[in-house]
Amino acid sequence: MIDQIDKNIYNSLDFLPEGYFIVNKEFKVLYWNKSLEVLTNVSKGEIINQKLDAIFPNFGLPVYQKRIEPIFTGGPPVIFSGKLHKKLFTKKENEEGHFFRITISTLPLDGGISNALFSIEDRTEIYSQIDELFSIKEKAINEIHEKERIHKKLLNQHKEIEEAFATLSVKNQEIEIQKQRLQELNATKDKFFSILAHDLISPFNALLGLSEIMIKHVKAHSNPELNLYIELQNQTLKQTFSLLENLLEWSRTQTGGIKYTPKTIALKQIVADNVELHNLKFSEKRIEPEILIDNSILVYVDPNMLSTILRNLISNTIKFTPTNGKVQISASEFSGNTENPNKLVKIAISDTGTGISKENQQRLFRIEENFTTYGTNNEKGTGLGLILCKDFVEINGGKIWVESDPNSKMDGKGTTFFFTIPRV
Amino acid sequence: MLNELHLEVLKEVINIGVGKGAEVLNTMVQSHISLEVPEVKIFGSDEYSRFQEHFSETDYSIITLPFNGELNGFSKLIMSSEHAAKLVDAFIGKHGASIEMDSLRVDILSEIGNIITNAVMGTLSNMLSLELGYIVPSYEMGRKDIIIPKEIIANASAILYAQTHFKIEEFETKGNFAIFFTLKSFEALVTKIQLFLGENFSSESLK
């Protein structure tokens, strides 16, 4: 059925890279070019004059027959894409297919019938590249998802760490507060033991010494001498008692043993009562204290605490004021305090004493400083009095401070302690 | 000129052809495909702009089957690139993969277009006893101005337009089928339709 002209054409098809073959209406293969021998591994000798579906069974399936049949009656060309018909050129079921794009067109013959010309283009390389691209894309997407997952996880961890840091910061603040509190408690404890170790031992040693002298030499000493020893013992006992009294009150404030019980009282009266307690000491130094307080001033305080404050400040002022010096206790309205809108009264206890240096003024109210000095007659202080005063003034809603001129001996300015308490 | 009855015949031809195309497509994919033709219209040579109103997308994929013989023209399946990509996805079972895979898209869309254009043109030639020759189909991608062939614009011609809906299970894509006839061919088509009507229906039934 193939004449000489056709033969020349078909011989030239052998040299084209695409595969070409021709089948007749009975599906018998009439032509098979050389490229197809390479592409399908089927030689011309094997397939020429054989039915196409005898070599490649899938061509016999109805779905393909139905599409190819119109070609033999001059129907339009048919296209099979490589991707969707991979198994078309396989000989066995389990054989790996080929990505061949097939175009079938008519080769009209006489009598209204046609042969079918199959053109085969190998798309394996392109599809392999496409598959590789799919694989790379899928891998990239997976990597992106993995990175997103890790990023999300890191963000969560970062958030958790931030929260942990915030908690830690709060804990650190709490620890810092506890640490400060512990330092204060430690200072309190140190002060307590320091007082026990020094301030109580010394007077007891003196008392023991005096009492031993009296025991050993009671018969040898005259009455005036014994009287002196007894007076010395009495003085030491008073100081020790005062020390113990302060120590007890201070330790009670530190352990919360003192309850703040405020009431309205007349300021002048309580000041006068506490001055009177010190009359003997004032007399010894020939000091006449002046009380410049209006009878009408009423204050709202814990009376016991105010008495302790006054007792300590009066005792101090006597201690540091020389013989014939001056002590004045006055009270005036205190304003200008925006932090505390309540009315306050300011009490000033001033003397013409030795004065306190600026450096020592800053140490007066600090428990950790353990600051004490001897009076003008070598009176010993407890070192606790002003600390007690500060605590009690603050419990009553006031403040305490000092103004002093250490050179007051020359001009008699001395020291003034101020404190404020609520006025009714 | 084409009357309502002629148009009914053409609608029938296209529906039968598209139905045959769907049958073939169903043998190629696991999912069931149905094709519907909700609208068939004829546009004359002075109505090209109205025809183009049906194409509002930017890029299109077009499969063209040129034909000659008793009729001359081009049969085309026209899909927006987005809908074409969705259709390819359904055939290869990979979502969102085909947009950037041009070779894959060309191969698969060429076959889908070939199946539909062959089915419609085969039905047309069989029903109206037309002797037609065909040239190997081609694939084009580009802006909507490539839809109407230059030969058709140069020679006053007519367009038989049919909107097609592909329904593939959970998703739906839209396509457009169009046959561009030269004017002489269109006149020949009308004659063939009249012959078809005369052969198949009595003059009483046509009234």
Side-chain angles (χ1 to χ4, degrees):
Chain A
M1 301 290 271
I2 298 175
D3 61 22
Q4 189 56 46
I5 297 169
D6 289 340
K7 267 187 182 172
N8 289 337
I9 294 169
Y10 297 147
N11 284 340
S12 62
L13 289 179
D14 272 343
F15 298 99
L16 294 177
E18 294 86 15
Y20 290 99
F21 68 96
I22 299 168
V23 296
N24 66 12
K25 199 169 183 294
E26 285 75 38
F27 245 49
K28 194 184 278 182
V29 178
L30 305 177
Y31 174 73
W32 191 259
N33 83 338
K34 277 194 175 175
S35 294
L36 278 173
E37 292 184 323
V38 179
L39 290 172
T40 63
N41 212 20
V42 173
S43 67
K44 288 186 184 194
E46 281 177 85
I47 201 165
I48 295 289
N49 286 327
Q50 298 290 321
K51 283 191 78 176
L52 182 63
D53 49 333
I55 307 295
F56 301 111
N58 287 334
F59 273 104
L61 295 171
V63 61
Y64 291 112
Q65 291 279 327
K66 198 174 177 181
R67 286 184 66 188
I68 297 168
E69 267 170 10
I71 293 284
F72 299 111
T73 54
V78 172
I79 292 171
F80 292 119
S81 74
K83 185 75 181 172
L84 302 177
H85 306 281
K86 199 183 169 191
K87 293 277 184 180
L88 204 45
F89 276 92
T90 54
K91 296 176 197 168
K92 292 170 189 168
E93 190 58 40
N94 57 356
E95 194 182 334
E96 189 65 25
H98 308 273
F99 290 115
F100 292 161
R101 178 185 153 105
I102 305 162
T103 307
I104 313 166
S105 43
T106 56
L107 280 177
L109 300 170
D110 292 336
I113 58 162
S114 301
N115 287 336
L117 170 65
F118 286 68
S119 160
I120 314 296
E121 190 189 342
D122 188 1
R123 309 279 280 175
T124 308
E125 183 60 31
I126 289 170
Y127 282 124
S128 136
Q129 285 172 3
I130 289 172
D131 280 346
E132 201 178 327
L133 282 173
F134 273 135
S135 163
I136 290 167
K137 186 183 172 185
E138 205 166 316
K139 199 176 163 191
I141 288 169
N142 287 341
E143 278 175 13
I144 288 166
H145 287 162
E146 180 61 14
K147 279 178 183 168
E148 280 174 349
R149 193 186 64 75
I150 292 169
H151 182 66
K152 203 174 172 184
K153 194 177 169 187
L154 284 173
L155 281 177
N156 284 340
Q157 284 177 346
H158 182 68
K159 200 177 167 188
E160 281 170 16
I161 289 168
E162 275 185 343
E163 284 170 3
F165 266 117
T167 311
L168 199 64
S169 175
V170 171
K171 292 276 179 202
N172 274 345
Q173 283 175 0
E174 285 172 8
I175 289 168
E176 195 55 40
I177 290 165
Q178 285 174 349
K179 190 179 159 190
Q180 281 177 8
R181 177 75 187 137
L182 277 173
Q183 279 174 342
E184 284 169 12
L185 286 172
N186 207 31
T188 304
K189 182 207 72 181
D190 288 348
K191 185 79 180 173
F192 189 81
F193 283 114
S194 162
I195 292 162
L196 284 178
H198 298 97
D199 300 343
L200 276 176
I201 290 290
S202 300
F204 271 98
N205 276 338
L207 286 169
L208 281 168
L210 284 168
S211 59
E212 277 171 10
I213 290 167
M214 286 172 72
I215 292 164
K216 281 181 186 172
H217 308 291
V218 67
K219 289 178 182 171
H221 287 291
S222 62
N223 274 349
E225 282 174 324
L226 285 173
N227 209 34
L228 179 65
Y229 290 142
I230 290 165
E231 274 181 22
L232 282 170
Q233 274 188 333
N234 183 256
Q235 199 179 343
T236 307
L237 279 168
K238 277 180 183 169
Q239 281 175 7
T240 310
F241 179 74
S242 170
L243 173 62
L244 279 172
E245 205 175 26
N246 273 351
L247 186 60
L248 186 65
E249 279 198 67
W250 173 74
S251 66
R252 282 169 67 196
T253 61
Q254 298 303 305
T255 54
I258 290 183
K259 282 186 182 172
Y260 168 62
T261 318
K263 61 169 93 166
T264 302
I265 53 171
L267 179 63
K268 191 173 183 178
Q269 187 57 54
I270 195 166
V271 170
D273 290 347
N274 279 283
V275 167
E276 198 178 331
L277 285 174
H278 294 81
N279 271 349
L280 189 63
K281 285 184 182 175
F282 277 123
S283 306
E284 282 171 359
K285 285 199 169 179
R286 290 197 289 279
I287 298 167
E288 286 187 13
E290 279 183 276
I291 300 172
L292 303 173
I293 297 172
D294 196 286
N295 284 330
S296 64
I297 297 176
L298 298 175
V299 289
Y300 185 72
V301 290
D302 183 314
N304 291 329
M305 289 187 187
L306 183 57
S307 285
T308 304
I309 298 163
L310 289 167
R311 195 176 69 233
N312 275 289
L313 290 176
I314 292 166
S315 175
N316 260 1
T317 207
I318 295 168
K319 198 169 109 184
F320 295 104
T321 304
T323 305
N324 292 322
K326 285 182 180 173
V327 170
Q328 194 180 68
I329 302 170
S330 61
S332 59
E333 196 170 314
F334 184 74
S335 60
N337 188 344
T338 51
E339 286 173 26
N340 189 350
N342 296 328
K343 278 185 173 178
L344 292 170
V345 61
K346 180 174 81 176
I347 297 148
I349 300 171
S350 56
D351 62 44
T352 52
T354 50
I356 308 162
S357 69
K358 287 279 177 196
E359 189 190 346
N360 285 343
Q361 282 177 34
Q362 290 170 357
R363 299 167 64 193
L364 285 176
F365 301 104
R366 294 164 66 96
I367 186 151
E368 59 271 30
E369 293 292 341
N370 198 19
F371 176 71
T372 184
T373 52
Y374 289 93
T376 51
N377 289 351
N378 285 326
E379 300 99 321
K380 180 79 173 69
T382 65
L384 269 178
L386 288 175
I387 291 157
L388 254 183
C389 289
K390 182 173 182 285
D391 282 354
F392 284 173
V393 166
E394 285 174 359
I395 290 169
N396 280 279
K399 280 187 175 176
I400 187 166
W401 69 99
V402 64
E403 289 175 7
S404 181
D405 183 354
N407 303 317
S408 60
K409 275 184 181 171
M410 303 297 290
D411 55 19
K413 279 183 184 169
T415 301
T416 304
F417 279 92
F418 299 94
F419 66 95
T420 56
I421 45 174
R423 182 178 184 173
V424 177
Chain B
M1 200 50 212
L2 208 66
N3 61 27
E4 280 296 313
L5 194 60
H6 297 152
L7 191 61
E8 280 301 310
V9 172
L10 287 175
K11 278 183 187 175
E12 186 70 10
V13 166
I14 287 171
N15 269 298
I16 293 169
V18 166
K20 283 182 179 175
E23 265 179 51
V24 177
L25 291 177
N26 271 312
T27 63
M28 292 164 58
V29 282
Q30 298 289 325
S31 313
H32 178 73
I33 300 176
S34 65
L35 261 74
E36 288 172 6
V37 185
E39 190 181 18
V40 175
K41 283 181 184 170
I42 296 283
F43 293 96
S45 56
D46 54 345
E47 295 175 308
Y48 291 162
S49 57
R50 272 188 54 226
F51 169 73
Q52 283 183 318
E53 282 171 13
H54 290 271
F55 304 93
S56 55
E57 309 279 337
T58 314
D59 295 308
Y60 285 89
S61 293
I62 302 167
I63 300 97
T64 304
L65 175 69
F67 57 88
N68 51 38
E70 286 189 78
L71 303 176
N72 286 298
F74 305 87
S75 175
K76 291 191 178 211
L77 180 71
I78 307 149
M79 298 188 83
S80 73
S81 294
E82 189 192 336
H83 282 269
K86 280 167 79 178
L87 191 61
V88 172
D89 283 350
F91 274 78
I92 61 168
K94 284 182 179 170
H95 290 279
S98 55
I99 290 172
E100 64 270 34
M101 302 296 172
D102 274 351
S103 296
L104 190 66
R105 176 159 50 166
V106 170
D107 273 10
I108 292 168
L109 281 178
S110 293
E111 183 168 353
I112 296 168
N114 175 245
I115 288 167
I116 294 167
T117 52
N118 281 11
V120 176
M121 292 310 291
T123 307
L124 186 74
S125 66
N126 284 342
M127 279 179 72
L128 303 183
S129 303
L130 289 162
E131 290 286 333
L132 297 175
Y134 302 95
I135 298 168
V136 175
S138 62
Y139 175 91
E140 284 177 286
M141 199 177 79
R143 299 295 168 102
K144 67 177 183 180
D145 52 12
I146 64 166
I147 292 171
I148 305 177
K150 284 175 186 164
E151 296 92 321
I152 296 295
I153 296 170
N155 306 293
S157 309
I159 304 167
L160 173 61
Y161 166 77
Q163 202 177 65
T164 49
H165 287 185
F166 295 79
K167 285 183 181 170
I168 306 174
E169 287 188 351
E170 77 274 17
F171 72 91
E172 190 175 342
T173 61
K174 284 179 187 171
N176 302 280
F177 181 81
I179 306 174
F180 301 83
F181 296 99
T182 59
L183 190 59
K184 278 186 180 175
S185 294
F186 193 67
E187 286 165 358
L189 177 70
V190 174
T191 310
K192 282 285 184 182
I193 294 169
Q194 277 173 331
L195 275 172
F196 169 78
L197 291 169
E199 286 167 10
N200 293 282
F201 303 93
S202 66
S203 55
E204 278 301 309
S205 66
L206 294 175
K207 283 180 184 173

